[in-house]
Each structure stands twice: as C-alpha cells, then as structure tokens.
Amino acid sequence: MSKYQSWGNIPVSHHSIIQPAWRNLNIEFNETGAGYLPYGLGRSYGDSCLNDGGVLFVTSSLDHFIQFDSNTGIIRCEAGVTLAEILDLVVPQGWFLPVTPGTKFVTVGGAIANDVHGKNHHSAGTFGCHVTEFELLRSSGERIICTTEKNTEFYKATIGGLGLTGLIISAEIQLKKIPGPKVISETIAFANLAEFFSLSDESDDKWEYTVSWIDCLATGASLGRGLFMRGQHTDQDTTPCKEKRTVSVPMNLPNVLLNKHTINAFNKLYFYKNQKKVNQNIGCYEPFFYPLDGICHWNRMYGKRGFYQYQCVVPLDDGAYITEQLLSTISKSKMGSFLSVLKKFGDVESPGMMSFPRKGVTLALDFANQGSKTLQLMDELDRIVVEASGAVYPAKDARMSAQSFQHYYPQWQTFSEYIDPKFSSSFWCRVTAAD
Amino acid sequence: MIIGATSAIAQEVARQYASPGCQLFLVARDESKLDIVKADLLSRGAGNVATACMDFSVASDFNTVLDNANAFLGSIDTVLIAYGTLPDQVACAESSDETLKALNLNLVSVISVLTVLGNYFEKQQSGTIAVISSVAGDRGRQSNYVYGAAKGGLSIFLQGLRNRLATKGVNVLTIKPGFVDTPMTKAFDKGPLWASPKTVAKSIVKAIEKNKDTLYVPWFWFWIMLIIKFIPEKIFKRMSL
Ligand SMILES: Cc1cc2nc3c(=O)[nH]c(=O)nc-3n(C[C@H](O)[C@H](O)[C@H](O)COP(=O)(O)OP(=O)(O)OC[C@H]3O[C@@H](n4cnc5c(N)ncnc54)[C@H](O)[C@@H]3O)c2cc1C
Ligand SMILES: NC(=O)c1ccc[n+]([C@@H]2O[C@H](COP(=O)([O-])OP(=O)(O)OC[C@H]3O[C@@H](n4cnc5c(N)ncnc54)[C@H](OP(=O)(O)O)[C@@H]3O)[C@@H](O)[C@H]2O)c1
C-alpha cells in the first residue's frame, strides 16, 4: 500500500506522485486523466486529500522558511512547512500559532485548504483568519498572490478550498504573542449537556481555549456527561519545555482491539478518573494542544479496515436539543467513539467561502469501520444535521452523500468556478456526483 | 562551508547548524535555489550566511571560491561536500561519454576540490573535512557500478587523505548513506530501509562532533554492507543486484 493515504485509511487509493522541491521552479501540468491534487501530511481523515488514479503534489519538500520577524510575529514560509516546525522555531521566541488543530503534524497548505479550527475558535476564528497572504500556482502556470485586498476571490475560495483551486506555494501568517511556553489549564467534570453549556458560557469569555470530551456511550440521566477543559498561555512558569520522546504504533493492530467493551471501559475510566475535582495544571503547551501526538501512527490502533470520523456543527439556538439527539442516536447504536469532542464555535467569521466552522456547537467522533452498520449510523446523524441546517466537516469525511454535502454547502457551485480545471479530488468527485 | 548546499541532505545538515553563533558559506550551482536555502537558514536563526555559485561539471576556479569563503568565515572549521548525481546505469553502459560524465562529477571533480581543501586544512592544522560518499562504493553491482566506482574511488581517496592529515589535527569523515528519500532517488519505490534526510543529517552532525572516520547511516547499513562484502565473488557475480 502506498504511504500516501488519509488518516482514517478509508478509502485506500492509488496515485502517481510529484514532489516539487523548489518554490521558484515551474511545474509541468501534462496529466490528462484524474488530474492533480496537493497533499500535505495526510492528516485529513477521509478522501479530501486523495485523488484516486490521479497525481498528488506531495509538498513535504516545500519546507523552507522565507522570513520570520520576531518583532512583529509575521512568518513567511513554503506550504509544506509543518505547524510542528513553526512551533519549534517560534515558541522559544515568544510566539505561537494563532490557531492550531489537535495535531501539530499538519502542513501550512493543509491548514489553509481545510481552514482548520482549534480550541480558541470562540475568540480567534479559523486558521484562515490569520493568513495575510499566499501564493497560488494554477495549472496555467499563473501564480496568483492572494490577500484580503488582492485577488480576494481566489483568497476566499482557497481558504477552505480543499486543495482544488491550485497549489498553494507559500503563505504569510500573523502569529500570536505568548508570555511563555506553558499553559495553565483546568479540567472540570459535567454531568449532562445543560452543565456543558453553562460551563461554556461561563468560560468562553475568560479562557482562550476551551474544549470538552464527552462519554458518548453514557445513557439516560448520564447522557452528555463529560469533562470540560479550559486553558490559556501563562507567564507563571517560563522555563523551556523539554523535548519529549514519542512512541509509535508499529503496525496495524487487530480489528478486535477497539470494540464496544474496551471503548466503553475507556470512556468510563476516563470520566471517573477526572470526575472528583476541578483539576488545575500548569504544563507545556504540547500535551494540552496535542494529546495524541505523543503516539505516532495512533490511527493503526483501528487496524487495516481503518476508521471514520464524523464532525458536524449545528446552530446554537437548539444546539442542546440536537446534540442530545445525536448523542442518543450514537449511544443507542452502541458504536462507541474512543474520543468524542464537543465545543462551542464562536461568531468570528472566516474569509473562506467553503469553510466548515460557523457559529454553533460542534461534535466530533470517531468510529471503527464496521461496514454498513457504521455507514448507516452516520447517515442517521446526517439526517439530524441536515434537518437542523448544520454542516459536516469535509476534512473528516469519507462517506457523506452528494445530497447532504450540497445541503450543507449550498455555495458549492459558486465555489466551483474557482476550481482549477486540472485539479480534482476523490472527495470532490463523490460529493458533486449526480445521483 | 557546504559544497553542494542545495542537496536535500546538505540542507538538513545546515538546518542542524542554524543557530546565532553559526556562520555558513554555501556553494551550489543554482543561484535561485541558493537564495531559497539562505533565506531558510537565516529564518531558522543562522548567524550569517553567504553564498557562491559553482558548477562542478565544468572546470572552474575553486581557489577563488575558497578564498571568498575564508574571507567571510575568518577560518573554516568544517567543510561538507554533498553534491553528486545518480547516473543512469543503462545509459552509462551504452556510452562512454555518459560514464565519463558521471565519473567526472562524482569522483574527479570532488578529488580536485579535495586537493585544494586538503592543503588548506593541512596548513590550518585543524578542522573537519566531511564528504558524502555512499554504501554503493563498497561493492560493485550491475545495477549501478559506475556510480559505485565513483563513490568507491572517492572513499579510497578519503582514506588516503585521512591518513595524511591524521597527524595534522585534521579529521576526515567519509559518510556512507544507504537509501535516503531525496530528489536524487525520487524514481524509486520507498520501503522500510529508507531514511529521511533529516535523520541522516542528525547522524552526520554527531559524527562530525565526535571526529569519526567513517559513518554508515542509518547505522544498520554497516551490518548490511558487512554481509554484502563477505559474499564470495563466485556467488556474488551470479546474483541480480
Ligand atoms: C489527531 C488529529 C486532530 C485533528 N484536529 C483537528 C482540529 O482540531 N481542527 C481541525 O480543523 N482539524 C483537525 N484535524 C484535521 C487536520 O487538521 C486537517 O485535515 C488538516 O487540513 C490536515 O493537514 P495536512 O497538511 O495533513 O493536509 P492533507 O490532509 O494532506 O490535505 C488536506 C487538504 O489540504 C489540501 N492541501 C494540502 N497542501 C496544500 C497546498 N500546498 N496547496 C493547496 N492545497 C493543499 C489537500 O489537497 C487537501 O484538500 C485533526 C486531524 C488529526 C489527525
Ligand atoms: N539519496 C540517497 O539515497 C543517497 C545515498 C547515498 C549517497 N548519496 C549522496 O548524497 C549526496 C547528496 O545527495 P542527495 O541525496 O541530497 O540528493 P539531491 O538533493 O538530489 O542533491 C544532489 C545535489 O548535487 C548537486 N549537483 C548535481 N550536479 C551538480 C553540478 N554539476 N555542480 C554542482 N552541483 C551539482 C545538485 O544541485 P542542483 O540542486 O542544482 O541540481 C544537488 O544539490 C550525493 O553525493 C549523493 O551521491 C545519496
């Protein structure tokens, strides 16, 4: 199997690879078949970073920094630079990513193309909100410099544009000043969704980062119980962080390892372990932002069949009711999710035309691939989300129907005017296919 | 001083050195690529970086480049030679021009540069000359023996140079990488034996610090090559390698 797959390992795809190494060199676009798609680190779960039968532009050699100004916090780099590399460079100098997803092993290009969000969405919006400029290479050979003032259509279409508008060559990002590498955080148990919403309301003004883990298998009175985590950068301890050793899952593990009993046990244990108190902690930023990055290839725990992610956002007005519906559908199905995450998105608007994050409450889950039963569950969740006028996150999707997608993103046709004629993806073919 | 500074391995080595106290002088044939590497290293915190252009496939004046490097750096404590090409063995077998071209770049031009550098370091009585050779130079195989001959010749030249400079306070490091995932090897399917340029670079820096003589990188290539070298020629010549 080629190493260029997605994080969920579904669907397995085949590509030819082009790996540009120099941002100034021209690229020939001779391919006539399935076309081209940029590929960062494949941390998208589904097929939005895949282009079965076509060409992938693997960007890992476009890894040069162009300029970093430690006075202004403006960084310019090529699109294959990873967020991990940026952090290594800038944290010791008192800067941080304005927005970061739950893993630092993503590229700048990938972060723009999915317009990723983080635990500070309620205050900072998406990654795209902080991208001040980027260079976009089209298959015509044209290089378009996009900013909020120049070529704004391409700027908006490319942020959250799923890699379809061309190859992002380089970008400029405004970083955020921090007092030190440590984060002060609190973990608070909540017994149900009502408590989650009141904790959110109380915390979102005062805390820069908030996110919750929920026990998606709890039923009845415990439905929606979980742990609320909030944190912010602190100057209370400015000693540098030590490099941590990581462990790696060396190969795909047997499919049976993650079953409903182990998942249920994990969820219960995790909850009870943290339930008693408000847990306060000051520590390095890494375990707070990237709890899973300590285990390389953790996706292999799901075995060869891979797994699905499902992340949706629903409007806040009846957010509590809809979330409850989603959760009870899942707990009824008994197909538990190892890590279920709940968070309130804020109202900072993203420049991205197709961006997923919007004001509301977002729920993210992963499901081991158990075939049609898993697909049916997610279809059921889709029905609830469509009804609620919500949306599902393409970066984490490998299965939503064209109908659902077009419902979630009615602007898709306007967007498609900006798609490069020689670019395509497995995801895009799927969600725009006529019935 | 890095010669062949736009090579993927050399770039990662330079990044390991990119800190405020470090001055780098980069030599490569392509000016626009050099500019990219220079900006990258400066962004990563390198103290100061200067560049010079030189194509090693044509006879040119390395002495001037060395003078410029010396003027910029004050004195040169470490030099890394990293340029090279992986010739097409089939094309080489068909044409002595191709073969000579490959040998000229990968062996003759490097020896010419090393002759100048050897004298410079001998006079200085200190420093490290590190050169990227290859495991391919340890035994000739039908699939790439022209490249192998160049690298093998280079390794032997370096042995001699090391012997000459060992008592002069100068260390000579022969670097023998196995499979490394770089533009040079983009046409190959990558399996578990492949290493990233970054991993290789970290080992190179360590070997320079420790004044090592020969570095197999990753380390397991030492054992692989040991076994390969031990296969009797009678058997080896019939193997499809
Ligand atoms: C553990 C984990 C936690 C995560 N947490 C979050 C989270 O909290 N929030 C969130 O939003 N996401 C999250 N994600 C998803 C991840 O952040 C996104 O999928 C991200 O876009 C992946 O980046 P990548 O570099 O791996 O790109 P890929 O997955 O390889 O590609 C993603 C998209 O970007 C495009 N692309 C890549 N490079 C370029 C380029 N140079 N030019 C144009 N297009 C390009 C691709 O074509 C594709 O459409 C998480 C993923 C994991 C595995
Ligand atoms: N990759 C491997 O598996 C492997 C294994 C063993 C040994 N090595 C050796 O490692 C060294 C570095 O290679 P790499 O893997 O990092 O590959 P690379 O990125 O392709 O680097 C090769 C470098 O050689 C330069 N070069 C080629 N011809 C030149 C010329 N005529 N004049 C000046 N420079 C020239 C290239 O310059 P341009 O950028 O301008 O083309 C490029 O910078 C080489 O000596 C190689 O033989 C590599």
Side-chain angles (χ1 to χ4, degrees):
Chain A
M1 194 168 80
S2 145
K3 68 176 180 180
Y4 301 109
Q5 303 296 340
S6 73
W7 196 243
N9 267 325
I10 307 174
V12 172
S13 304
H14 304 277
H15 308 97
S16 38
I17 304 297
I18 296 179
Q19 194 169 335
W22 302 97
R23 65 174 175 273
N24 58 327
L25 295 189
N26 287 328
I27 295 170
E28 306 271 330
F29 289 83
N30 305 324
E31 148 83 5
T32 47
Y36 297 87
L37 185 74
Y39 181 97
L41 279 171
R43 253 48 177 202
S44 300
Y45 287 82
D47 54 359
S48 67
C49 60
L50 303 176
N51 186 25
D52 200 18
V55 180
L56 289 183
F57 283 125
V58 172
T59 61
S60 53
S61 295
L62 287 174
D63 63 348
H64 299 98
F65 287 102
I66 300 169
Q67 196 172 36
F68 172 51
D69 183 336
S70 60
N71 295 314
T72 58
I74 292 176
I75 192 159
R76 287 168 19 90
C77 62
E78 293 175 359
V81 169
T82 67
L83 300 190
E85 286 167 315
I86 295 183
L87 290 167
D88 285 346
L89 176 66
V90 306
V91 170
Q93 303 187 55
W95 294 94
F96 203 76
L97 294 164
V99 165
T100 174
T103 172
K104 60 178 180 164
F105 299 123
V106 307
T107 64
V108 166
I112 296 173
N114 274 325
D115 197 14
V116 299
H117 58 271
K119 296 179 170 69
N120 60 351
H121 185 271
H122 60 278
S123 56
T126 61
F127 192 84
C129 298
H130 310 272
V131 175
T132 42
E133 184 183 307
F134 56 83
E135 180 180 322
L136 184 69
L137 174 68
R138 303 274 290 177
S139 63
S140 59
E142 190 187 1
R143 288 170 184 250
I144 309 177
I145 305 290
C146 304
T147 73
T148 47
E149 270 126 39
K150 253 195 309 196
N151 298 311
T152 47
E153 272 70 38
F154 277 111
Y155 179 79
K156 292 180 188 160
T158 301
I159 293 176
L162 301 167
L164 297 166
T165 61
L167 176 66
I168 302 167
I169 296 287
S170 63
E172 179 185 275
I173 303 153
Q174 173 65 62
L175 300 172
K176 180 177 72 180
K177 188 112 202 113
I178 49 166
K182 304 285 162 74
V183 169
I184 181 164
S185 64
E186 290 183 0
T187 307
I188 306 155
F190 54 86
N192 52 48
L193 286 175
E195 280 186 37
F196 161 79
F197 280 99
S198 70
L199 268 168
S200 251
D201 290 340
E202 168 203 321
S203 310
D204 281 357
D205 289 342
K206 291 184 227 126
W207 294 79
E208 202 173 335
Y209 302 102
T210 64
V211 70
S212 296
W213 164 85
I214 53 166
D215 178 354
C216 67
L217 288 176
T219 51
S222 328
L223 185 84
R225 73 176 174 192
L227 301 170
F228 193 91
M229 285 158 250
R230 54 193 190 190
Q232 53 212 2
H233 301 283
T234 177
D235 59 2
Q236 287 185 41
D237 173 7
T238 52
T239 48
C241 295
K242 287 200 201 77
E243 209 175 305
K244 277 242 174 67
R245 275 196 161 270
T246 52
V247 292
S248 179
V249 180
M251 58 191 169
N252 284 325
L253 296 183
N255 294 322
V256 292
L257 209 68
L258 286 189
N259 57 40
K260 66 177 181 233
H261 304 291
T262 54
I263 291 175
N264 198 355
F266 171 81
N267 276 272
K268 278 212 173 100
L269 253 173
Y270 195 55
F271 183 75
Y272 285 115
K273 179 174 160 263
N274 290 282
Q275 184 198 23
K276 289 285 173 305
K277 48 203 177 274
V278 176
N279 240 326
Q280 234 206 26
N281 180 43
I282 295 181
C284 272
Y285 69 88
E286 291 195 58
F288 178 76
F289 288 104
Y290 313 114
L292 292 172
D293 282 354
I295 309 168
C296 297
H297 301 296
W298 61 261
N299 53 340
R300 291 177 180 160
M301 292 205 303
Y302 282 95
K304 222 167 69 190
R305 299 177 67 179
F307 68 111
Y308 291 98
Q309 267 261 333
Y310 187 87
Q311 181 169 1
C312 61
V313 55
V314 295
L316 215 48
D317 299 339
D318 32 26
Y321 171 68
I322 299 160
T323 311
E324 199 178 300
Q325 263 188 305
L326 292 167
L327 287 178
S328 58
T329 307
I330 295 160
S331 71
K332 244 186 266 156
S333 80
K334 300 217 164 52
M335 272 181 282
S337 158
F338 203 55
L339 275 178
S340 317
V341 173
L342 191 63
K343 165 158 183 70
K344 245 171 76 180
F345 279 156
D347 52 12
V348 183
E349 226 173 284
S350 163
M353 191 181 284
M354 290 287 284
S355 292
F356 159 72
R358 59 204 72 183
K359 194 175 156 81
V361 53
T362 184
L363 176 66
L365 314 132
D366 47 40
F367 298 109
N369 178 14
Q370 300 179 48
S372 60
K373 159 167 129 173
T374 319
L375 291 169
Q376 269 164 23
L377 169 65
M378 288 186 285
D379 284 344
E380 235 173 283
L381 300 178
D382 264 352
R383 273 193 284 279
I384 300 171
V385 178
V386 165
E387 176 95 355
S389 304
V392 164
Y393 192 7
K396 303 201 172 174
D397 180 72
R399 38 62 53 192
M400 74 169 111
S401 68
Q403 202 187 12
S404 307
F405 172 77
Q406 293 169 18
H407 206 279
Y408 299 142
Y409 299 89
Q411 71 277 34
W412 71 277
Q413 273 161 318
T414 320
F415 165 72
S416 55
E417 289 163 26
Y418 299 96
I419 295 181
D420 188 290
K422 291 197 172 169
F423 279 51
S424 187
S425 69
S426 298
F427 174 84
W428 193 251
C429 292
R430 177 164 59 80
V431 299
T432 57
D435 301 318
Chain B
M1 178 174 190
I2 302 182
I3 301 170
T6 55
S7 112
I9 298 175
Q11 286 189 64
E12 289 294 350
V13 172
R15 286 171 182 177
Q16 296 291 320
Y17 283 113
S19 64
C22 191
Q23 318 254 53
L24 294 159
F25 191 89
L26 312 178
V27 186
R29 63 172 163 182
D30 186 316
E31 192 170 358
S32 61
K33 290 182 185 175
L34 270 175
D35 287 344
I36 290 173
V37 176
K38 178 179 172 178
D40 179 56
L41 295 171
L42 286 173
S43 307
R44 288 175 194 260
N48 210 351
V49 182
T51 63
C53 269
M54 185 162 166
D55 186 333
F56 292 92
S57 64
V58 291
S60 32
D61 186 11
F62 182 68
N63 284 297
T64 316
V65 173
L66 182 61
D67 287 346
N68 290 342
N70 188 51
F72 176 76
L73 298 170
S75 69
I76 304 170
D77 52 26
T78 307
V79 62
L80 171 71
I81 304 181
Y83 69 88
T85 53
L86 186 61
D88 178 347
Q89 178 58 46
V90 177
C92 285
E94 279 167 8
S95 139
S96 42
D97 278 356
E98 284 299 315
T99 302
L100 289 180
K101 222 168 76 190
L103 289 174
N104 262 325
L105 184 74
N106 291 309
L107 179 62
V108 178
S109 82
V110 187
I111 287 180
S112 148
V113 166
L114 280 170
T115 304
V116 178
L117 283 171
N119 295 337
Y120 173 94
F121 277 91
E122 183 173 41
K123 209 157 105 202
Q124 179 173 282
Q125 301 263 313
S126 71
T128 298
I129 302 174
V131 184
I132 308 188
S133 181
S134 171
V135 295
D138 279 13
R139 193 154 191 183
R141 294 172 300 129
Q142 59 176 320
S143 57
N144 72 346
Y145 59 88
V146 171
Y147 178 74
K151 292 297 193 184
L154 181 58
S155 295
I156 293 195
F157 182 90
L158 289 166
Q159 262 175 2
L161 188 66
R162 178 180 309 118
N163 189 203
R164 169 182 151 203
L165 297 177
T167 52
K168 308 281 165 58
V170 180
N171 195 59
V172 176
L173 170 65
T174 308
I175 302 157
K176 296 185 179 178
F179 298 143
V180 194
D181 188 355
T182 70
M184 182 177 280
T185 51
K186 66 176 175 219
F188 294 76
D189 283 334
K190 312 282 164 10
L193 287 180
W194 287 77
S196 75
K198 192 171 178 175
T199 317
V200 171
K202 284 186 178 165
S203 306
I204 292 178
V205 170
K206 253 196 223 136
I208 291 174
E209 273 165 16
K210 289 193 178 152
N211 285 336
K212 276 191 136 185
D213 299 326
T214 305
L215 171 72
Y216 282 89
V217 54
W219 56 270
F220 52 78
W221 282 97
F222 173 79
W223 301 103
I224 297 178
M225 294 322 292
L226 194 69
I227 295 167
I228 290 187
K229 281 186 287 190
F230 261 114
I231 303 175
E233 190 66 13
K234 258 202 166 72
I235 302 172
F236 196 80
K237 72 177 183 193
R238 303 198 175 277
M239 292 167 74
S240 88
L241 286 161

CSV table of all heavy atoms in Angstrom, one decimal, chain A residues 240-256:
chain,number,residue,atom,x,y,z
A,240,PRO,N,11.9,26.6,29.6
A,240,PRO,CA,11.6,26.0,28.3
A,240,PRO,C,11.1,24.6,28.5
A,240,PRO,O,11.4,23.9,29.5
A,240,PRO,CB,13.0,26.0,27.6
A,240,PRO,CG,13.9,26.8,28.5
A,240,PRO,CD,13.3,27.0,29.8
A,241,CYS,N,10.4,24.1,27.5
A,241,CYS,CA,9.9,22.7,27.5
A,241,CYS,C,10.9,21.8,27.0
A,241,CYS,O,11.7,22.1,26.1
A,241,CYS,CB,8.6,22.6,26.6
A,241,CYS,SG,7.3,23.6,27.2
A,242,LYS,N,11.0,20.6,27.6
A,242,LYS,CA,11.9,19.6,27.1
A,242,LYS,C,11.3,18.8,26.0
A,242,LYS,O,10.1,18.6,25.9
A,242,LYS,CB,12.3,18.6,28.3
A,242,LYS,CG,13.2,19.3,29.3
A,242,LYS,CD,13.8,18.1,30.1
A,242,LYS,CE,14.3,18.7,31.5
A,242,LYS,NZ,13.2,18.8,32.4
A,243,GLU,N,12.2,18.3,25.1
A,243,GLU,CA,11.7,17.5,24.0
A,243,GLU,C,11.3,16.2,24.6
A,243,GLU,O,12.0,15.5,25.3
A,243,GLU,CB,12.8,17.3,23.0
A,243,GLU,CG,12.3,17.1,21.6
A,243,GLU,CD,13.4,17.0,20.6
A,243,GLU,OE1,14.2,17.9,20.5
A,243,GLU,OE2,13.4,16.0,19.9
A,244,LYS,N,10.0,15.8,24.3
A,244,LYS,CA,9.5,14.5,24.8
A,244,LYS,C,9.7,13.4,23.8
A,244,LYS,O,9.7,13.6,22.6
A,244,LYS,CB,8.0,14.6,25.0
A,244,LYS,CG,7.6,15.3,26.3
A,244,LYS,CD,6.8,14.3,27.2
A,244,LYS,CE,6.6,14.9,28.5
A,244,LYS,NZ,5.7,16.1,28.5
A,245,ARG,N,10.0,12.2,24.3
A,245,ARG,CA,10.1,11.0,23.5
A,245,ARG,C,8.7,10.6,23.0
A,245,ARG,O,7.7,10.7,23.8
A,245,ARG,CB,10.7,9.9,24.2
A,245,ARG,CG,12.2,9.9,24.2
A,245,ARG,CD,12.7,8.5,24.7
A,245,ARG,NE,14.1,8.4,24.2
A,245,ARG,CZ,14.4,7.9,23.0
A,245,ARG,NH1,13.5,7.4,22.2
A,245,ARG,NH2,15.7,7.9,22.6
A,246,THR,N,8.6,10.2,21.8
A,246,THR,CA,7.3,9.7,21.4
A,246,THR,C,7.3,8.2,21.2
A,246,THR,O,8.4,7.6,21.0
A,246,THR,CB,6.8,10.3,20.0
A,246,THR,OG1,7.9,10.2,19.1
A,246,THR,CG2,6.6,11.8,20.2
A,247,VAL,N,6.2,7.6,21.3
A,247,VAL,CA,6.1,6.1,21.0
A,247,VAL,C,5.4,6.0,19.7
A,247,VAL,O,4.7,6.9,19.3
A,247,VAL,CB,5.5,5.3,22.1
A,247,VAL,CG1,6.3,5.4,23.4
A,247,VAL,CG2,4.1,5.9,22.4
A,248,SER,N,5.5,4.8,19.1
A,248,SER,CA,4.8,4.7,17.8
A,248,SER,C,4.1,3.3,17.8
A,248,SER,O,4.5,2.3,18.3
A,248,SER,CB,5.9,4.7,16.7
A,248,SER,OG,5.3,4.5,15.5
A,249,VAL,N,2.9,3.3,17.1
A,249,VAL,CA,2.2,2.1,16.9
A,249,VAL,C,2.8,1.5,15.6
A,249,VAL,O,2.7,2.1,14.6
A,249,VAL,CB,0.7,2.2,16.7
A,249,VAL,CG1,0.0,0.9,16.5
A,249,VAL,CG2,0.1,2.9,17.9
A,250,PRO,N,3.6,0.4,15.7
A,250,PRO,CA,4.4,0.0,14.6
A,250,PRO,C,3.7,-0.6,13.4
A,250,PRO,O,4.2,-0.6,12.3
A,250,PRO,CB,5.3,-1.1,15.2
A,250,PRO,CG,4.6,-1.6,16.4
A,250,PRO,CD,3.7,-0.5,16.9
A,251,MET,N,2.5,-1.1,13.7
A,251,MET,CA,1.7,-1.7,12.5
A,251,MET,C,0.2,-1.6,12.8
A,251,MET,O,-0.1,-1.3,14.0
A,251,MET,CB,2.2,-3.1,12.3
A,251,MET,CG,2.0,-3.9,13.6
A,251,MET,SD,2.8,-5.5,13.5
A,251,MET,CE,2.6,-6.1,15.1
A,252,ASN,N,-0.6,-2.0,11.8
A,252,ASN,CA,-2.0,-2.1,12.1
A,252,ASN,C,-2.3,-3.1,13.1
A,252,ASN,O,-1.8,-4.2,13.0
A,252,ASN,CB,-2.7,-2.4,10.8
A,252,ASN,CG,-2.8,-1.2,9.9
A,252,ASN,OD1,-2.9,-0.1,10.3
A,252,ASN,ND2,-2.7,-1.5,8.6
A,253,LEU,N,-3.1,-2.8,14.1
A,253,LEU,CA,-3.4,-3.7,15.1
A,253,LEU,C,-4.7,-4.5,14.7
A,253,LEU,O,-5.4,-4.1,13.9
A,253,LEU,CB,-3.6,-3.0,16.5
A,253,LEU,CG,-2.4,-2.3,17.0
A,253,LEU,CD1,-2.7,-1.7,18.4
A,253,LEU,CD2,-1.2,-3.3,17.1
A,254,PRO,N,-4.9,-5.7,15.4
A,254,PRO,CA,-6.1,-6.5,15.0
A,254,PRO,C,-7.4,-5.6,15.2
A,254,PRO,O,-7.5,-4.8,16.2
A,254,PRO,CB,-6.1,-7.6,16.0
A,254,PRO,CG,-4.7,-7.6,16.6
A,254,PRO,CD,-4.1,-6.3,16.4
A,255,ASN,N,-8.3,-5.8,14.3
A,255,ASN,CA,-9.5,-5.0,14.4
A,255,ASN,C,-10.3,-5.2,15.7
A,255,ASN,O,-11.1,-4.3,16.0
A,255,ASN,CB,-10.4,-5.4,13.2
A,255,ASN,CG,-9.8,-5.1,11.9
A,255,ASN,OD1,-9.2,-4.0,11.8
A,255,ASN,ND2,-10.0,-5.9,10.9
A,256,VAL,N,-10.1,-6.3,16.3
A,256,VAL,CA,-11.0,-6.6,17.5
A,256,VAL,C,-10.6,-5.7,18.7
A,256,VAL,O,-11.3,-5.6,19.7
A,256,VAL,CB,-10.9,-8.0,17.9
A,256,VAL,CG1,-11.6,-8.9,16.9
A,256,VAL,CG2,-9.5,-8.5,18.2
